[in-house]
Amino acid sequence: MPDMSASLALTHLVPLAKEVDENKVTPGVLGFIVFAVMALAVWGLMKSMSKHMQKVDFKESTESEESPAAKADSGTPAARPKG
């Protein structure tokens, strides 16, 4: 004999489904949970990015400000001593 509890549960849910307006679509609890997780992930990424950006040194050095020792250590073939 088949299990009647599953079909009995479905018959109780059918009237609840009829009460919902068929022309209105709502995201429900699952939509809220997904949105909340995404918001927390973006917040965490922004906080991490801010932390890493504070470590970056934005000062640009021009070639005229570099010392001759720095030019010799740069590794360019013209700056390497021969021998």
Side-chain angles (χ1 to χ4, degrees), residues 47-59:
K47 190 170 182 177
S48 175
M49 184 186 72
S50 175
K51 184 177 167 183
H52 285 284
M53 291 298 283
Q54 288 176 356
K55 293 180 183 179
V56 175
D57 183 22
F58 285 106
K59 291 183 182 177

Side-chain angles (χ1 to χ4, degrees), residues 32-81:
F32 173 75
I33 291 171
V34 169
F35 182 78
V37 167
M38 288 174 52
L40 285 173
V42 168
W43 177 77
L45 286 171
M46 291 294 289
K47 190 170 182 177
S48 175
M49 184 186 72
S50 175
K51 184 177 167 183
H52 285 284
M53 291 298 283
Q54 288 176 356
K55 293 180 183 179
V56 175
D57 183 22
F58 285 106
K59 291 183 182 177
E60 288 187 23
S61 61
T62 60
E63 288 186 27
S64 62
E65 292 177 358
E66 289 183 4
S67 65
K71 288 183 181 178
D73 292 338
S74 67
T76 58
R80 288 187 191 158

Side-chain angles (χ1 to χ4, degrees), residues 1 3 9 12-13 15 22-23 36 40-41 44 46 49 51 61 68 70 77:
M1 191 167 200
D3 186 19
H12 287 293
L13 291 176
E22 293 178 4
N23 295 326
L40 285 173
M46 291 294 289
M49 184 186 72
K51 184 177 167 183
S61 61

Side-chain angles (χ1 to χ4, degrees), residues 12-34:
H12 287 293
L13 291 176
V14 169
L16 293 175
K18 294 291 182 182
E19 293 174 9
V20 176
D21 185 13
E22 293 178 4
N23 295 326
K24 185 190 289 186
V25 178
T26 60
V29 177
L30 180 63
F32 173 75
I33 291 171
V34 169

